[in-house]
Amino acid sequence: MTDRRTFLKKAAAATASAIAAPSILKAAEGSGMAGGNISGHGDLIVPKAQGLRITGTFLDEISHDIPHQNWGEKEWDADFRYMKAIGIDTVIVIRSGYRKFITYPSPYLLKKGCYMPSVDLIDMFLRLAQKHGMKFWFGLYDSGKYWDTGDLSQEIEDNKFVIDEVWKMYGEKYDSFGGWYISGEISRKTKGAIDAFHAMGKQCKEVSGGLPTFISPWIDGKKAIMGTDKLTNDQAVSVAEHEREWNEIFDGIHDVVDACAFQDGHIDYDELDAFFSVNKKLADKYGMQCWTNAETFDRDMPIKFLPIKFDKLRMKLEAAKRCGYDKAITFEFSHFMSPQSAYLQAGHLYDRYREYFGI
């Protein structure tokens, strides 16, 4: 258990790390670290580069349960360079708004009482993605009503307007606008989920001329303990139940949802292959891409949330590669893997990742 004094000491150390980050990046660029081999790769006793490399990350700028880092464009530009250096080519804003806080000056959402943001983050992310040769995927608006009531109807209604206005404001302006993230997070046969995902996915594709869409649900496994102090779920889903339920969901959405990136942190490490194999089988059956959302935060600790231990991330990425997954994205680079994160451990995870993959 971490007391308040210990926590504050760690926070101070993390702040010092964040201040030092720009000089680290400058040194990295000068030495060629961003593009080639580096010295000091460490003496790993496991084979290197056996996992699926992370090539995408969420951008969590409307934070729900992790602290805001209060970055401006200078810090974000540096972070995009750190991402690019390890091969990330896709950035996904996880949600364009949550309840009353929003990422861009939405005419529709402002009329509904949302707060005006000080910066147009969607425009900034699109510009940075274009500058660094990445594709940006837009995450839809989350009203919070689903979390309060279990009803997804408000998400459909709000996003009817959000999807149209965002495409007009940004999609026709930036080549970096590469796709859509349907941001409703479900785990099982949520009432109305198939109809909601289908309606929003269909509109996204129609308005943008067929740009791809994806979802990132969670597996109702041992570590699915939202809103409790427990570390394990007593009613975890079985592999067979998971397959049966998601077969039904995929059957209803595969014509308008191109990829599914299940969150990988809710199951135990010795269950990865069993669940991952089912996910890949279902995706192949319905002609969908099978991605993994390789979480870079640790769900095994009572503190929510800190950067993950490298070996845990390695095991998850290796399972994804064994099971033939198409792409690995993460939630999320900037807090849990970036050298300039407020968490000191994040930069160390970045270094261990580079050592393992020989970047």
Side-chain angles (χ1 to χ4, degrees):
M1 192 72 176
T2 301
D3 61 27
R4 185 170 180 273
R5 181 176 296 177
T6 304
F7 176 81
L8 290 172
K9 286 181 179 178
K10 290 180 179 178
T15 302
S17 173
I19 293 170
S23 61
I24 296 171
L25 182 58
K26 187 175 180 181
E29 291 171 338
S31 66
M33 188 176 76
N37 292 328
I38 59 168
S39 60
H41 268 199
D43 297 320
L44 298 184
I45 61 173
V46 294
K48 294 182 181 179
Q50 299 301 298
L52 187 63
R53 283 180 62 167
I54 294 170
T55 54
T57 182
F58 283 107
L59 306 173
D60 187 15
E61 264 303 272
I62 297 293
S63 299
H64 171 58
D65 49 15
I66 54 176
H68 206 286
Q69 299 195 105
N70 293 307
W71 288 353
E73 186 158 345
K74 181 180 75 171
E75 291 84 4
W76 276 112
D77 188 29
D79 225 48
F80 272 60
R81 280 182 279 156
Y82 280 125
M83 295 175 198
K84 187 76 172 179
I86 61 168
I88 288 176
D89 58 22
T90 306
V91 291
I92 310 119
V93 69
I94 195 165
R95 56 185 74 84
S96 54
Y98 179 60
R99 300 188 188 268
K100 290 190 175 184
F101 284 96
I102 55 179
T103 55
Y104 73 103
S106 162
Y108 169 75
L109 294 173
L110 288 170
K111 286 179 184 176
K112 282 181 62 84
C114 288
Y115 307 132
M116 173 65 82
S118 58
V119 174
D120 185 340
L121 292 167
I122 301 303
D123 188 79
M124 183 185 73
F125 289 147
L126 281 160
R127 284 189 287 103
L128 290 175
Q130 199 137 312
K131 174 180 177 180
H132 295 282
M134 299 178 182
K135 286 297 182 182
F136 170 88
W137 293 50
F138 180 86
L140 302 187
Y141 173 69
D142 183 346
S143 71
K145 298 291 194 304
Y146 164 65
W147 302 109
D148 296 336
T149 66
D151 184 0
L152 283 160
S153 60
Q154 189 63 50
E155 312 315 316
I156 302 173
E157 181 63 25
D158 287 336
N159 282 295
K160 283 179 184 176
F161 299 93
V162 168
I163 292 165
D164 281 347
E165 71 180 15
V166 160
W167 183 252
K168 289 174 184 174
M169 291 171 70
Y170 309 104
E172 297 171 352
K173 179 179 178 183
Y174 289 105
D175 294 335
S176 53
F177 198 116
W180 306 85
Y181 169 53
I182 304 170
S183 58
E185 293 183 32
I186 67 168
S187 67
R188 303 178 74 170
K189 292 171 64 177
T190 302
K191 182 180 178 181
I194 293 174
D195 291 341
F197 282 177
H198 195 278
M200 291 185 281
K202 183 172 184 288
Q203 185 181 351
C204 286
K205 294 184 83 66
E206 286 179 348
V207 78
S208 63
L211 284 183
T213 64
F214 87 100
I215 59 174
S216 186
W218 45 286
I219 300 169
D220 196 18
K222 292 179 181 178
K223 303 181 203 175
I225 44 134
M226 292 173 60
T228 75
D229 293 327
K230 298 190 301 180
L231 288 178
T232 58
N233 175 13
D234 298 331
Q235 298 178 322
V237 70
S238 69
V239 176
E241 287 175 306
H242 175 75
E243 180 172 6
R244 183 168 58 252
E245 292 170 355
W246 279 95
N247 181 68
E248 181 180 340
I249 296 170
F250 280 10
D251 183 54
I253 66 172
H254 70 276
D255 58 323
V256 294
V257 175
D258 299 284
C260 180
F262 278 104
Q263 301 168 26
D264 69 1
H266 294 93
I267 54 177
D268 218 340
Y269 304 99
D270 56 8
E271 299 178 303
L272 291 168
D273 285 88
F275 279 97
F276 281 17
S277 297
V278 164
N279 296 343
K280 177 62 173 168
K281 183 172 92 172
L282 289 173
D284 287 349
K285 177 180 177 179
Y286 289 102
M288 297 168 66
Q289 287 267 305
C290 188
W291 298 0
T292 187
N293 180 354
E295 294 177 343
T296 35
F297 64 92
D298 203 328
R299 290 189 181 271
D300 302 331
M301 301 175 64
I303 303 172
K304 301 177 181 179
F305 294 102
L306 297 175
I308 200 168
K309 175 181 172 67
F310 168 71
D311 275 332
K312 295 178 180 180
L313 176 61
R314 174 182 62 81
M315 291 167 68
K316 296 191 296 181
L317 294 175
E318 288 175 353
K321 188 169 185 178
R322 281 195 301 271
C323 294
Y325 273 36
D326 299 297
K327 187 178 182 71
I329 63 174
T330 186
F331 183 87
E332 52 87 55
F333 180 89
S334 298
H335 280 87
F336 304 117
M337 201 172 176
S338 170
Q340 64 173 358
S341 166
Y343 296 116
L344 179 64
Q345 308 96 317
H348 298 322
L349 180 60
Y350 185 82
D351 290 340
R352 302 294 80 73
Y353 179 90
R354 288 175 48 248
E355 289 171 358
Y356 174 71
F357 280 108
I359 300 170

